Amino acid sequence: MAATQNLSDSDQSSVSDQSVSSRSGNRSIRVAEKERRKNEAEDPFVLSLKYFSDVEAGTPFHGNDKLEKNLVQVEKVAYSQGLPPEAVSIMLEFAMSLRMGTSACVRVLKCLIPASVVPQEAVVRAVVWLSIGKMPISTQVLFIKWVLTVFDMIDAKDQLRAIYGFIFNFVTDENLVSFLTSHFLTVVRVFRVRKLLELQSKLGRQPFLLHLLSLYKVFCPELVTLSIPSRMKSGFKNHISPWKSALIAVQKRNGLQGAFSNSLVFTHKDKTNPRKRKHCHLEFPDLIPALNKEARSEQSSSRRVVPLVQLHSFAQLLENMHRIELPAQMGSLLGSSLALQYLDCVQDESALLRLNFWLGYAFHEEFLFCGDGGPSQTSEEALQFLNKLLSAQHFLQEGFSSSEVFLYKFLNVWDGSLLRPQILGLLSNIPVVPSSQIRRLLFEPLMQLFFTSSLFFKCGLMECLNNMLLKWLTWHSIYALEDDLDISLNSHTSINMTLSGFKDSVMELIHFVGRLASVGLQLEGCHCLLLSFVLDFYETVCDTFLKYGLPLIVMPPAGVFYPALFATDPVSVDRLAYIMHRYKVNLTSAKSQEKVTEQVFHISRQTFREFNHYVVVMVNCLWNSRMFHPGMGVQLGEELLLKSNVSQYGSSFDLVHHPAFMSYAVNFHQKVSHSKPWSWYLEYLFTQGYDGLKHFVQSNISWQLKEDDGQGDAQQR
C-alpha cells in the first residue's frame, strides 16, 4: 500500500510538471501571436489592404487623401517585391467591383504584380464582375491583357474551364475577341465553330480567328471545313503588356527562376525570334477515347462502339473492325501497331484526313514556321518524332500526304545536314510526282543540295532516290490495272495517273539521277563509294521491264558507264557487266514480245544503238584489246598515245592488264608454270565470285581458241 501511495504521488508530480510546462508553452504562443498581430496592425501594407477590403461602394476617388496614401503603399510593395496571393485577391476584387469608379480600377489593375501565384478564385470572381456590363471597354481590355500576362501563374485552371461557355459569350465583342482567342476559347464544339464562322463573315478573315479555327481543325477537322492558309501572320499576338518588365524585375529580385520567369525574359529580350518554342507539337499523344463514359453509354444504346485503346490483339481488331471508335487525337495512331493495321485494312478517309492534318500542323509549326528555321541542333524531340513517323510509314508501305507537302517546302530551306537520315527517309516515301511539277518541287532544291554538300550526302541522296524509284516501280507493279491504261499510285488516295504520265515521271527521275551521277563522279574523282550507290540505282533501272512490268528502258549516260568500266576496283566492273547483261535480257524479252502482241511498247532505235555501242566498247576493251581504236567512243590522238610510252596501249584495259584485275592476273600467272588456255583464266576469275562478268561474257561473247597463246577471237553475239 505504501508503494502504491508513493507511485501515485510521483504520478501526480509528473502530471503537475507537464501542466505547468503546457501552460508555459501556450503562453509563449499567445505572446508570439499577440506580437505578430501587433506588428501586422502597425504594418502600413496590411493596413492598406484592410482599407481596400472594407471600403464601401460610392466612396469618392478624386481628392481622397486616405485612398491615395493606401494606394501608394500598395504600389510600392507591388513594384518592389510583388503582391502575395491574398493581396492580389483583395485588390482585384476592389478594382473589378468599381467601388470607387473606373479611374481607381485602372490604376489598381496596372499595379497587380503577383509575387508568386494568382488565386484562381480571384480571377473567376473578376470574370463575374466583368459580365455585369458597367465597365468601359478599354478597362475590360486592360483586365483581359492582365489575365493573359499572368495566365501561367494562376494556381489552377479547373474553375476557369468550368465557366468556359460563360467566357465564350464574350466572343461577340469585337474589342475582346482578339484577346480571348489566344488562351480561353480552345474547347471545340459544333456551335462554337458556327459562331466563329459567323463572326469571321462579319469581321473578315482576321488572323486571330483563322488561327483559332486552325487549332479547332487539328482536333476536329470534320467540323471545320474552311480552307486554312498554310502561311498566316501571327494571330495570337504577344500584346504589349505594362506588367512584363515589372514582373521580370520582381522575380529576379525574389530569386525565382521558374519557367514563367524564363519565358518572360525571352519575350522581353529576344524580340527578333518570337516563335521559338519547346516542340510541344512533336510529342505523340496517348491513345485516349474520344468520348467520355457518359457519352459512350448514351451512344451504346443505338450503336455499340469499341475504343481502340481497349483492343490488344489483331484478332480483337478483326472482330470489332466496323465498331472501332477513333481516339480523341489522331496523332496517337502512329504509336500503336493495331491502329496502323486498322488504317491499312479499313482505309478510313476521315481518319486519314484527321491524321494528315495533325501531322501537317506539327510539321508547319515545328519545322517550317519557327523563327530559327526549325528544331535547333537535332533536338531529341524532333528525332523521336521523325523516327516514329518513318516507322509508321514503313509499316504501311507508303507515306502520308502531309509529309509530302512538308518536304516540298522544307527542301528549299534545308541545309542538308539537319536530321539528314530522317529527311531522306521521308523523301524516299513520297508518291509519284507529275512530270510537269517534279523539276520545280524536287529536282531544283535537290540539285543545289547535291552539288554543295559532302560526299556522304551525295551517297545518301543516291540511296534515297534509288529507294524512291523502287517504291514507284513497286506501286506500279501492284496497282496497275489489267488494261495497262491507268494506275492508282496510292491505296489511301484517289490520285490516278495515266500510264504514259507515270512513264514520263519515272523517265524524268532516271535522267535526273544520271545527270547528278555524271557530274558528282567528276567532282569526287570517281570515288568508289559514290560509284557503288550509282550502280545500285542502275541495277534497279536495268530491270524495269521484266521485274516491275513497266514498259520503259533507259540506258545509263556515258558519265556513269565509262567511270564504272575504268574503275580501279573489280567489284564496280563486275556490277557494270551484270547491269549490261540485264539490259540485254530486258531488251531481248521486250523485242520478242513486241513481235507477238501489239500491247507491248515500241523500243526506240536510239535505245538499241546506245546499248550496242556500250557492248562493243566493253568487248573491245576487256576482251579484244582494241581500247583506243576508231569508233570506240574514247579516242586519243596517235601522238599522245605514243608519248605515254605504253607499248601495247590497246590492251591496257583487257581482263589481264585492267587495273581492277591486274592482281588476279599476277596471282594466276604465279600459280601456273607455263602458258594455259584463255578459258582457264576466265574460269579462275569466275571462281572469285564475279558472276556479273560471267553472265556478260556468256551472253555477249563467243570465241575460238588459238593454239599458240590460248586466247580466242571474240565475236559479239
Side-chain angles (χ1 to χ4, degrees), residues 245-262:
S245 58
L247 275 170
I248 295 171
V250 167
Q251 293 195 347
K252 283 185 175 180
R253 193 175 295 113
N254 294 340
L256 297 178
Q257 297 295 333
F260 181 75
S261 176
N262 294 336

Side-chain angles (χ1 to χ4, degrees), residues 93 144 158 242 294 305 317 319 341 418 469 546 559 687 717:
E93 176 74 14
I144 295 297
D158 54 329
E294 293 77 6
V305 295
L317 179 67
E319 292 175 1
Q341 288 172 341
L418 179 66
L469 179 62
L546 286 180
T687 58
R717 291 183 179 179

Side-chain angles (χ1 to χ4, degrees), residues 218-219 280-289 309 327-336 354-355 358-359 362 385 388:
V218 171
F219 299 100
C280 56
H281 302 93
L282 297 182
E283 296 180 0
F284 288 92
D286 296 328
L287 202 63
I288 302 174
V309 68
Q329 295 193 36
M330 297 304 293
S332 60
L333 295 179
L334 300 179
S336 170
R354 292 176 57 191
L355 179 57
W358 183 87
L359 285 173
F385 175 83
K388 184 168 288 189

Side-chain angles (χ1 to χ4, degrees), residues 85-97:
E86 300 81 2
V88 172
S89 299
I90 293 173
M91 298 306 297
L92 188 59
E93 176 74 14
F94 166 78
M96 299 301 293
S97 61

Side-chain angles (χ1 to χ4, degrees), residues 174-233:
E174 299 179 9
N175 299 283
L176 300 179
V177 63
S178 62
F179 302 95
L180 293 173
T181 51
S182 60
H183 276 76
F184 298 112
L185 309 181
T186 54
V187 179
V188 186
R189 295 290 185 273
V190 178
F191 71 92
R192 290 171 184 149
V193 174
R194 295 197 193 102
K195 193 69 178 179
L196 291 177
L197 293 176
E198 292 176 3
L199 189 62
Q200 181 175 255
S201 63
K202 179 181 178 181
L203 300 178
R205 295 173 68 87
Q206 298 294 333
F208 53 84
L209 290 177
L210 288 176
H211 274 264
L212 183 58
L213 287 170
S214 68
L215 186 61
Y216 280 13
K217 196 167 185 178
V218 171
F219 299 100
C220 297
E222 69 277 4
L223 300 181
V224 184
T225 58
L226 181 69
S227 177
I228 305 296
S230 59
R231 293 185 179 181
M232 295 182 294
K233 294 181 178 179

Side-chain angles (χ1 to χ4, degrees), residues 567 621-623 625 646-666 678 681 685 711:
C621 173
L622 299 175
W623 194 274
S625 301
V646 178
S647 58
Q648 297 180 354
Y649 51 80
S651 61
S652 300
F653 289 93
D654 62 16
L655 288 176
V656 176
H657 302 91
H658 196 293
F661 299 101
M662 178 70 74
S663 60
Y664 292 98
V666 172
W678 177 252
Y681 178 62
L685 287 180
Q711 185 172 355

